[in-house]
Amino acid sequence: MKVVIRFLVGILVFVTDILYRDRPYPRFYVLETIARVPYFAYLSVLHLYETVGYWRKADWLKVHFAETWNELHHLLIMESLGGNNAWGDRFLAQHLALAYYWFVVPLYMLFPPYAYYITVLHNCGICCILLLKFTHCSTLKSSARD
């Protein structure tokens, strides 16, 4: 299962690399829109479990809500930088997020550890992309000054 998850996340990163090669803000807008999805899925499943009396995990609800709130602010930053100006970028982000949501919900219900593995992979991938992008930019700026 982890191989499939790695493959799917790899495809997502590869496609965004190709489509948004020279457009970093729309690229991160799409990635941040998608990055919020697992937390919404977790909250949905936990609310369902609570509603049917399966269990009450208030701590998990708080953690996943805080993670959603964090991703919201990343998304707001990308929007303020113009990442969502193009209709096509918003369309792609929203539809990928919707498909991703319906992938994560059953995965979380059936195999919670694998659903969390997606989050770790996805967020590590985004953090690595951001780190490489801004490290590369700062290296270029410093070499331009020399």
Side-chain angles (χ1 to χ4, degrees):
M1 181 66 89
K2 285 186 177 184
V3 173
V4 172
I5 292 169
R6 264 190 251 124
F7 178 74
L8 292 173
V9 172
I11 287 174
L12 174 66
V13 171
F14 178 76
V15 169
T16 56
D17 285 349
I18 299 294
L19 291 176
Y20 295 101
R21 181 176 303 135
D22 300 324
R23 301 177 53 222
Y25 295 132
R27 177 184 186 197
F28 291 118
Y29 168 77
V30 170
L31 290 174
E32 289 300 339
T33 301
I34 295 166
R36 301 173 68 199
V37 169
Y39 307 120
F40 289 137
Y42 303 156
L43 288 171
S44 297
V45 171
L46 291 173
H47 279 290
L48 174 67
Y49 287 168
E50 186 176 334
T51 301
V52 298
Y54 188 60
W55 78 53
R56 292 182 189 264
K57 299 285 186 183
D59 293 343
W60 289 7
L61 287 170
K62 288 177 188 177
V63 167
H64 294 313
F65 180 78
E67 290 166 332
T68 301
W69 191 255
N70 181 48
E71 295 297 340
L72 167 67
H73 287 87
H74 296 167
L75 186 62
L76 292 174
I77 291 167
M78 290 302 113
E79 287 176 354
S80 71
L81 294 171
N84 69 333
N85 287 346
W87 177 86
D89 297 331
R90 292 190 308 273
F91 181 86
L92 181 66
Q94 292 165 354
H95 286 80
L96 284 174
L98 187 63
Y100 193 43
Y101 175 84
W102 287 111
F103 174 74
V104 176
V105 165
L107 185 67
Y108 186 61
M109 292 176 85
L110 300 172
F111 309 105
Y114 291 121
Y116 285 117
Y117 182 70
I118 280 182
T119 305
V120 169
L121 266 184
H122 189 228
N123 288 336
C124 287
I126 290 173
C127 290
C128 289
I129 290 168
L130 285 169
L131 180 63
L132 290 173
K133 173 71 179 161
F134 291 112
T135 302
H136 180 68
C137 290
S138 63
T139 303
L140 289 176
K141 288 177 187 174
S142 65
S143 65
R145 282 187 229 132
D146 294 339

